Amino acid sequence: MDIDCRFNTKLLHGSNSKYGQREILPPIAQVTAFEYESMEELEKVFAHKSMGYAYTRIGNPTLAAFEQKINSLEGGIGAVSCSSGMAAVTSTILAICDSGSEIIAASGLYGGTIDLFHDLEKLGIHTRFADKLTRENIEKLITDRTRAVFGEVISNPSLRVLDIPKISAVTHEAGIPFIVDSTTATPFLIRPLELGADIVVHSTSKYINGGGNAIGGIIVDGGKFSWNFDKNTALSEFKKYGKMAFLLRLRTDLWENFGGCMAPMNAFLSFTGVETLGLRMERICENADALAKALEKESDIEVNYLTLDSHPYHELAERMLSGYGGGILNFRAGSKERAFKIINSLKYAKIASNIGDIRTLVIHPASTLYIRSGKNEMEAAGVFDDTVRVSVGIEDKNDLIEDFVNAVRVSR
Ligand SMILES: *Cc1c(COP(=O)(O)O)cnc(C)c1O
């Protein structure tokens, strides 16, 4: 049952499940399989004639509790949790596309997703990249083979924001579903399904979990897209399910057969993690805004953050993200050497290739996350040789400001 209430209340009470022994949190069903009293009962479960769990790769109550929670936050008709964010992106694409399909994607995507789209070429799935997802750019790239338009709500680390109502209008006119990766935005900043997106994916490893203790991903289906089963041949066997076709194709084909299920322990950790998403995001965004504004005063570094007046997406971000700028900021230090020097002299920020942790994390993306990318791809992602990416945490903001400003100054 879904309850209609405000965000922080919804985080705790939105998917109002009751558990078997009245546990306040979903028990961790840390099992591979589920046993039945008779073979007849298990037969019914396999035939989908009775509700029940058989094997964790096919379904597990701890995963189901987590899926319901995220589904209620995003306002979807159902969600499928995955072993990682990459598994969520992969399963989504493969549920919709088959050999010969084309995807239109914004350039400047998360590095792993760019690499995945390259890999998919070998399966006959071709991606056409647009510099930005605008009506003009999308219409130029649409062919009769286009099966999906894909973008990140706030791209990481390029910090471009999608105009979801505008883009979904274009894709819907062409009968193409619009898939968004909302990892960096989270349902605290935006609920893409309400604005016109058809499918939302998250790496739950980041802000949703928040504590940096479990890899995971999730796919939420908005359930509004009208599939054309002659065109969307990957889904044609699921025609009789209508609006549920994607979710069922996903659940009973891709997810079950490719084997990318979330681990029950990770579902539990992410379930407890997401309950504080509102508090964490509010604090993270406030810290990031204050840190960006303090760093902007240092004249020899160039700061990139969505709430700064200088940011090209400032106005769109304000409209799309309720005035918040998210948890990622970048700055250009002038040279790789100086970027390293600043990073190495920070007291509180940990050097780690992650985002969305409650701890502030820093990295030099060019020598890590983009080490296998070409210079053009890297620059399209807003990464230069002197870029430092900061994933801002929930520390006291004055400690962060003192630490970063000091590091910038001593590196001169
Ligand atoms: C981290 C990330 C992913 C991949 O998620 P994993 O959980 O690491 O597999 C996908 N998209 C975005 C935007 C990310 O930040």
Side-chain angles (χ1 to χ4, degrees):
M1 180 185 65
D2 261 10
I3 295 179
D4 193 19
C5 53
R6 292 168 189 81
F7 190 76
N8 284 301
T9 311
K10 199 165 203 172
L11 282 170
L12 301 166
H13 304 286
S15 55
N16 201 14
S17 305
K18 293 277 179 278
Y19 309 113
Q21 305 299 320
R22 311 233 128 235
E23 298 90 343
I24 212 159
L25 285 167
I28 309 166
Q30 188 64 30
V31 295
T32 311
F34 299 78
E35 65 162 338
Y36 284 82
E37 291 297 322
S38 70
M39 198 48 238
E40 284 79 3
E41 280 180 61
L42 185 55
E43 183 184 29
K44 279 189 201 146
V45 170
F46 267 77
H48 302 299
K49 287 190 176 133
S50 87
M51 295 283 281
Y53 297 100
Y55 191 70
T56 286
R57 173 167 48 71
I58 306 172
N60 175 292
T62 316
L63 273 55
F66 179 57
E67 288 163 353
Q68 281 159 22
K69 197 177 215 35
I70 304 298
N71 185 55
S72 112
L73 293 176
E74 290 289 12
I77 58 162
V80 175
S81 55
C82 299
S83 55
S84 66
M86 288 316 304
V89 178
T90 307
S91 301
T92 303
I93 299 294
L94 292 182
I96 296 174
C97 297
D98 45 18
S99 179
S101 296
E102 290 179 2
I103 306 164
I104 296 173
S107 50
L109 294 175
Y110 174 72
T113 305
I114 295 178
D115 292 349
L116 167 70
F117 287 171
H118 283 313
D119 290 339
L120 291 176
E121 298 282 345
K122 298 186 191 101
L123 303 182
I125 298 169
H126 176 58
T127 305
R128 295 162 159 255
F129 285 98
D131 176 35
K132 286 176 194 164
L133 291 182
T134 59
R135 173 175 287 275
E136 208 191 351
N137 288 347
I138 295 170
E139 284 177 346
K140 264 193 294 205
L141 295 176
I142 288 179
T143 71
D144 56 7
R145 292 166 169 260
T146 311
R147 296 292 173 267
V149 173
F150 184 95
E152 289 170 8
V153 178
I154 307 175
S155 61
N156 158 27
S158 59
L159 303 187
R160 289 180 182 162
V161 177
L162 296 180
D163 193 332
I164 295 176
K166 273 198 189 149
I167 299 166
S168 57
V170 182
T171 76
H172 293 161
E173 279 167 30
I176 300 166
F178 181 33
I179 306 167
V180 299
D181 179 334
S182 196
T183 300
T184 46
T186 83
F188 175 75
L189 296 182
I190 193 168
R191 279 165 300 287
L193 300 176
E194 289 169 8
L195 297 175
D198 300 296
I199 296 163
V200 176
V201 297
H202 286 281
S203 163
T204 63
S205 323
K206 316 290 173 53
Y207 295 95
I208 285 184
N209 171 284
N213 59 24
I215 290 275
I218 200 156
I219 306 158
V220 188
D221 183 4
K224 295 203 186 93
F225 189 72
S226 298
W227 299 100
N228 172 342
F229 295 98
D230 298 326
K231 202 168 112 179
N232 293 111
T233 47
L235 291 164
S236 50
E237 274 177 50
F238 294 83
K239 187 173 176 175
K240 66 176 178 213
Y241 299 107
K243 304 255 183 199
M244 296 293 284
F246 168 74
L247 213 49
L248 279 143
R249 153 92 169 137
L250 191 60
R251 178 81 66 190
T252 60
D253 281 354
L254 266 299
W255 187 73
E256 187 172 322
N257 298 338
F258 279 34
C261 69
M262 183 178 261
M265 179 60 94
N266 285 7
F268 176 78
L269 292 169
S270 306
F271 185 104
T272 55
V274 77
E275 295 192 315
T276 58
L277 180 70
L279 285 178
R280 285 187 281 111
M281 285 305 288
E282 224 175 305
R283 173 69 170 245
I284 283 172
C285 292
E286 187 189 318
N287 280 0
D289 177 73
L291 182 59
K293 285 173 180 161
L295 286 175
E296 204 184 23
K297 295 196 188 111
E298 302 301 310
S299 58
D300 58 348
I301 61 167
E302 191 184 312
V303 187
N304 179 16
Y305 184 65
L306 283 171
T307 59
L308 299 181
D309 291 338
S310 60
H311 199 285
Y313 284 83
H314 174 209
E315 275 168 29
L316 183 61
E318 198 158 296
R319 226 174 339 116
M320 289 287 129
L321 311 173
S322 352
Y324 291 104
I328 297 172
L329 71 84
N330 305 300
F331 60 88
R332 294 187 62 177
S335 68
K336 177 180 173 182
E337 292 65 35
R338 182 160 182 230
F340 273 38
K341 214 166 155 186
I342 293 173
I343 290 173
N344 290 340
S345 58
L346 288 165
K347 257 196 306 191
Y348 302 120
K350 294 187 184 296
I351 303 172
S353 70
N354 190 17
I355 57 167
D357 199 306
I358 44 178
R359 286 151 277 258
T360 296
L361 308 176
V362 278
I363 200 160
H364 180 254
S367 59
T368 52
L369 311 169
Y370 289 84
I371 198 163
R372 273 173 282 280
S373 306
K375 195 171 153 72
N376 288 344
E377 267 171 349
M378 204 169 84
E379 293 189 357
V383 175
F384 301 88
D385 211 31
D386 61 343
T387 302
V388 175
R389 182 186 76 185
V390 186
S391 170
V392 180
I394 62 168
E395 295 90 346
D396 287 297
K397 71 178 169 216
N398 289 336
D399 284 331
L400 291 180
I401 291 170
E402 282 163 23
D403 194 16
F404 275 85
V405 168
N406 176 59
V408 164
R409 289 184 182 164
V410 299
S411 69
R412 276 187 192 130

